[in-house]
Amino acid sequence: MHTLSLLSMFLAATGLVAQASPTVAQPQLADVHEAHAAAQFLLPVHGFSATQLAYAPVPHPALQVGAATLYLPEPLLCSANYVGSEVVQLVFALPQGVVVLLDASPSLALHVLPVSAATWSLLAGVCIDGEREQVVLLDAAGPRFLRIDLADLRAGNASFRAASLPPVWSTVRGISLDVARDRIVGFDPATGALLQHSLVDPSTNGGTLRPVPEVTAFGFVPTGSADHDLFVSSGDQRMLTSQWTWNASGPNVIYATLRAVMATGSWSPSSPDPSAIVYDPLHDRLIVSDGEVDEMPIFAEANVFETSRLGVLARTSATIEYTPEPSGFGFDPTTRTFYAADDDRDKVYVVSAGPDGLLHTADDTRRSFQVGNFTTDPEDVAFDSATGALWVIGGDTVIAHRLQPGPNGIFDGTPPIGDDVRVSFNLAPYGATDPEGIAVRPFDGGIYVAGKPRTLLLHLSASGQFVRSITLPTTGLIKPSGITFAPSTVGTGDSLFLVDRGFDNNYDRRANDGMLFEYGLPEATVNQAPVVDAGPDVLTTVAMPAQLIGNVTDDGLPGGPLLIQWSLDSGPGTATFSSPTLAATNATFSALGTYTCKLSAYDGEYTTFDTAVVTVLEPPPGGGSLERLIAQSFDDAEEGPTATTRSSTDLELVVDVAVTQTVGLRFQNLTIPPGASITSAYVQFTADEVTTTATQLSIAGQAHDNAPTFLTPAGNISTRTRTSATVPWTPPAWNVIHEAGPDQRTADLTSVVQEIVNRPGWIAGNAMVFVITGTGCRTAVAWDSNPMLSPKLVVAWQ
């Protein structure tokens, strides 16, 4: 080992020790290693075990000799030649005029070659071309390559051959041999450009990484089998090393791509511990909450930060008035309702932005509800606009909870606190240990969860089924907290935006290391199970069919037909379904009692089901009643001057901005006997927006025995023949979103319904249409927003 002692003395004499590590992004990001992890990436030198003599290429090139580590000077001027995963030669150059070769073939030897100071002007990289038995150096001042045969280097013969390069190589810092493609690749740290020099490809374009102004190590390294990946380190204080690959990923490994990094600690005022993040499409802003900044000396009365997607701070506000601990943030952009989780008080605060549309201004309304009966650590919340569900992530139990509003139509907690319906999903089987952030991706309807392990991103379906796991690059990740989806800053499509709290301020109150990351996610091509909702529970009588309003959605995969089926799961008698293969059907029952009806859907791979409970009672003496929700998308519609809209998520009764509409409502399967004496009738709406404008409405029925559904042409509602009976309705102000009470209930429609059921052609089971005209506006929930909150007809008769 005499040669090693000589090397040690030489290295010590130079006084140059490599400084440290991290990173960039693209071609394909395979991984990002922390400094201590990258340092363990040791490759044995040929003829020695890794415990005897090994080489660590990153984050700072070093030799490990037993328990001692020798750092090599000028890390960009260091390179290794490999046979398989063993180092056979190691070369480094010193700008002062020295080239050193550690040669393990055929035996370990050290060769030190002094060279003339005029040999190069600006030494910027070195690599070994093992195929041609050469060392190649980059003189960026030329720019040019200087080549020397290994035989000459061993013999002490400073015989270099120069070859000019295109001018773009003058800014390259670091070169390496890409063995798989027989090319020398250089890196421009200022632009992130990879340049290539190949004997078979005249192009100098070798791909693009992100700029790394303080790059300290650059090189291709064996990663298993015959693959070599590119490793890049820089002098960033986070000490990270990126791994890039041109090799296809394994079949079960899915990687996200780092697109941008922003420091929230650099905002003024600062966000040192960003806890949650949501996207506001109205203002095209990311809204970040900070649950710890109020405990720090830098606190400037702001713990909510609104920023552009590029990280430019636009506005700040504070939750301090109601919670100093906004650990999670959810947002319903349709109603501009914010949901703030407090993991100290086990509460969710519901904040509705007022007419100005801004959070934390004087026109906001606010309430809260407890969640401590199902999670004592609500880390984050997310609102699903497609399903109307509120997701709550519990870090204490590694469980995601999906809440749906109960009969009162608002989120107010689960029994006994409120009437929300909860379904819970255990995330532990998929590798999660401490989930911190949850978000809904509008692009695919998926539910995404991040936290610990910090590189793990879980993708669930809207029904809570596991879809896939995605690996996040570790670039700078310390403590991921909140996530959201927003339009990408790079091209089209969306990005995942993630906030990271950094080091815990419990240990250092001065730490101001919060970060905001942007990632690109690969599209999900795996089949997701159908999403099934059997609809609300129903109360009926033995003589009256029950209306079951189910809903089934699917992603169309794996490509076969979607099979829908209603069946009786339990009950004291039999059930007959009028349309058992449709999501909406009528059901009749043979006996009194409680029945559980199951709606299932099979997509060719997965079967999903949900149940609805039907309670069958004795009919009241001499009378009957029914309740019917809108049953399908085309049965509530708004007619404007040029077309009839059948798929709106809300119903403006009747002025939409400056357009006065005619609104139509169609209710199916009305099992009212012909000529029945109607004792009461009304339509119950659910408020979709706060609307207070003075409003005068008129409601008539369509004079038809069995009214057809609405079509798209203009005039499809207004030209229908109407009943002679009309009912005026002056609704009071609607001040609470999702309220469904007396203020949202029409005036009595008995005269309209009576005229229709008195028609000679009316039979039980027919459909009835109501036409609404007038002035002013009240905005109600439509079927396409939430079928369970759509307009409901309630009729009683003798």
Side-chain angles (χ1 to χ4, degrees):
M1 300 294 289
H2 172 73
T3 54
L4 287 176
S5 300
L6 176 61
L7 177 62
S8 302
M9 290 187 293
F10 181 85
L11 293 172
T14 66
L16 299 175
V17 178
Q19 291 303 306
S21 69
T23 99
V24 291
Q26 219 246 323
Q28 286 185 339
L29 181 60
D31 205 349
V32 180
H33 308 274
E34 292 189 42
H36 72 273
Q40 301 304 311
F41 185 43
L42 301 174
L43 297 166
V45 175
H46 182 68
F48 295 84
S49 68
T51 57
Q52 295 173 307
L53 183 61
Y55 171 62
V58 290
H60 28 242
L63 277 177
Q64 182 167 304
V65 184
T69 301
L70 308 173
Y71 294 104
L72 304 182
E74 299 290 346
L76 281 179
L77 303 182
C78 180
S79 180
N81 182 31
Y82 306 94
V83 173
S85 60
E86 290 190 334
V87 177
V88 288
Q89 284 101 22
L90 174 66
V91 67
F92 63 88
L94 298 179
Q96 298 92 327
V98 176
V99 179
V100 178
L101 174 67
L102 179 66
D103 198 344
S105 177
S107 60
L108 192 65
L110 180 69
H111 306 279
V112 179
L113 176 67
V115 300
S116 166
T119 304
W120 51 68
S121 298
L122 180 59
L123 201 57
V126 62
C127 68
I128 302 177
D129 185 344
E131 182 69 22
R132 297 169 180 83
E133 289 283 310
Q134 295 175 345
V135 170
V136 183
L137 301 103
L138 171 64
D139 183 359
R144 57 180 182 157
F145 278 151
L146 299 173
R147 297 178 181 268
I148 182 172
D149 291 338
L150 287 176
D152 285 332
L153 204 161
R154 293 179 183 120
N157 179 13
S159 179
F160 292 89
R161 299 181 298 282
S164 297
L165 293 169
V168 291
W169 283 82
S170 62
T171 55
V172 165
R173 298 296 180 267
I175 64 173
S176 185
L177 181 73
D178 181 2
V179 176
R181 294 155 195 84
D182 193 19
R183 60 177 181 167
I184 294 175
V185 176
F187 179 59
D188 183 341
T191 65
L194 292 177
L195 303 181
Q196 68 172 12
H197 179 78
S198 169
L199 296 179
V200 296
D201 185 352
S203 172
T204 60
N205 181 16
T208 304
L209 308 180
R210 285 192 177 272
V212 185
E214 299 179 37
V215 62
T216 59
F218 175 85
F220 285 89
V221 180
T223 57
S225 65
D227 294 339
H228 287 62
D229 282 352
L230 179 63
F231 289 76
V232 184
S233 300
S234 82
D236 182 275
Q237 62 180 354
R238 290 173 176 261
M239 308 283 285
L240 304 174
T241 296
S242 295
Q243 178 181 348
W244 307 98
T245 186
W246 281 260
N247 304 303
S249 300
N252 298 318
V253 180
I254 303 172
Y255 291 107
T257 302
L258 181 64
R259 288 177 171 168
V261 180
M262 294 153 270
T264 64
S266 68
W267 292 340
S268 180
S270 294
S271 174
D273 278 285
S275 306
I277 183 171
V278 294
Y279 175 63
D280 178 2
L282 178 64
H283 298 103
D284 190 20
R285 292 177 186 168
L286 298 168
I287 303 179
V288 176
S289 69
D290 191 312
E292 301 291 337
V293 65
D294 64 298
E295 302 174 5
M296 300 181 64
I298 63 172
F299 180 51
E301 304 302 322
N303 66 348
V304 175
F305 307 83
E306 300 181 27
T307 174
S308 73
R309 287 176 285 119
L310 294 173
V312 179
L313 192 62
R315 179 177 180 268
T316 63
S317 61
T319 66
I320 302 301
E321 182 180 342
Y322 57 97
T323 172
E325 186 75 14
S327 60
F329 244 32
F331 181 49
D332 177 358
T334 303
T335 63
R336 299 203 60 76
T337 301
F338 294 83
Y339 299 88
D342 184 322
D343 61 358
D344 283 347
R345 299 172 181 171
D346 302 335
K347 279 186 175 183
V348 173
Y349 293 88
V350 184
V351 184
S352 297
D356 67 3
L358 296 175
L359 180 62
H360 298 143
T361 58
D363 61 0
D364 291 357
T365 60
R366 186 173 70 240
R367 63 182 179 86
S368 66
F369 61 91
Q370 285 284 342
V371 296
N373 59 330
F374 61 86
T375 177
T376 57
D377 187 23
E379 292 289 356
D380 201 9
V381 290
F383 182 79
D384 187 345
S385 296
T387 65
L390 184 69
W391 289 79
V392 181
I393 199 75
D396 54 342
T397 55
V398 198
I399 289 178
H401 308 274
R402 185 184 67 198
L403 303 182
Q404 290 281 4
N408 66 10
I410 64 171
F411 293 109
D412 59 359
T414 59
I417 298 171
D419 67 353
D420 293 349
V421 179
R422 174 173 61 94
V423 181
S424 300
F425 306 92
N426 183 12
L427 306 181
Y430 315 122
T433 58
D434 182 13
E436 295 279 338
I438 188 167
V440 180
R441 187 183 191 186
F443 173 77
D444 59 18
I447 311 301
Y448 289 76
V449 179
K452 291 182 181 178
R454 59 185 167 181
T455 60
L456 176 64
L457 180 69
L458 293 181
H459 176 185
L460 311 176
S461 71
S463 60
Q465 293 183 317
F466 175 76
V467 176
R468 58 179 176 160
S469 61
I470 300 169
T471 300
L472 299 175
T474 60
T475 317
L477 287 178
I478 296 175
K479 191 174 183 180
S481 46
I483 56 176
T484 195
F485 288 90
S488 174
T489 64
V490 181
T492 59
D494 67 354
S495 288
L496 173 76
F497 290 82
L498 178 151
V499 287
D500 187 293
R501 293 177 55 184
F503 292 104
D504 198 325
N505 291 328
N506 289 333
Y507 302 103
D508 185 354
R509 293 292 182 188
R510 299 165 300 173
N512 189 6
D513 54 359
M515 300 294 289
L516 171 59
F517 299 91
E518 179 186 357
Y519 299 101
L521 300 187
E523 294 184 11
T525 56
V526 295
N527 177 35
Q528 299 183 38
V531 179
V532 176
D533 185 347
D537 295 342
V538 178
L539 187 67
T540 188
T541 67
V542 72
M544 183 185 303
Q547 184 186 30
L548 302 175
I549 304 177
N551 187 43
V552 177
T553 58
D554 188 48
D555 59 5
L557 298 174
L562 181 65
L563 303 180
I564 299 173
Q565 184 67 51
W566 278 101
S567 61
L568 180 62
D569 199 48
S570 65
T574 61
T576 302
F577 300 95
S578 62
S579 303
T581 59
L582 299 179
T585 183
N586 279 350
T588 56
F589 302 89
S590 63
L592 304 179
T594 300
Y595 297 79
T596 300
C597 298
K598 181 166 71 174
L599 175 62
S600 62
Y602 174 64
D603 67 357
E605 182 178 3
Y606 298 117
T607 298
T608 310
F609 69 88
D610 190 29
T611 59
V613 175
V614 179
T615 303
V616 181
L617 304 175
E618 286 278 9
S625 65
L626 62 76
E627 296 182 358
R628 290 290 187 267
L629 289 164
I630 296 292
Q632 61 182 4
S633 175
F634 296 167
D635 280 354
D636 55 0
E638 299 166 304
E639 178 193 314
T642 60
T644 298
T645 301
R646 305 184 298 173
S647 58
S648 177
T649 58
D650 57 18
L651 299 171
E652 276 83 15
L653 309 172
V654 286
V655 176
D656 185 2
V657 189
V659 176
T660 300
Q661 307 179 127
T662 301
V663 174
L665 306 174
R666 178 175 181 262
F667 299 96
Q668 302 181 30
N669 303 313
L670 303 184
T671 54
I672 306 172
S677 177
I678 306 302
T679 58
S680 69
Y682 61 87
V683 173
Q684 178 69 60
F685 291 99
T686 300
D688 189 67
E689 297 177 5
V690 173
T691 44
T692 59
T693 304
T695 300
Q696 298 281 341
L697 303 176
S698 178
I699 306 175
Q702 182 181 358
H704 197 289
D705 297 337
N706 188 18
T709 193
F710 303 112
L711 302 176
T712 57
N716 186 259
I717 303 174
S718 60
T719 59
R720 297 186 179 212
T721 303
R722 301 179 203 176
T723 58
S724 57
T726 62
V727 174
W729 178 35
T730 304
W734 292 2
N735 295 310
V736 180
I737 294 172
H738 285 175
E739 183 176 42
D743 289 350
Q744 291 77 37
R745 184 177 301 165
T746 66
D748 186 64
L749 303 176
T750 294
S751 61
V752 176
V753 176
Q754 188 71 67
E755 182 177 335
I756 296 173
V757 300
N758 284 348
R759 292 178 60 84
W762 174 266
I763 62 173
N766 280 2
M768 191 178 293
V769 159
F770 296 89
V771 179
I772 305 176
T773 57
T775 61
C777 182
R778 293 292 180 267
T779 305
V781 176
W783 187 95
D784 286 280
S785 173
N786 188 333
M788 300 305 105
L789 302 181
S790 63
K792 177 172 63 177
L793 175 65
V794 181
V795 181
W797 66 88
Q798 292 292 330

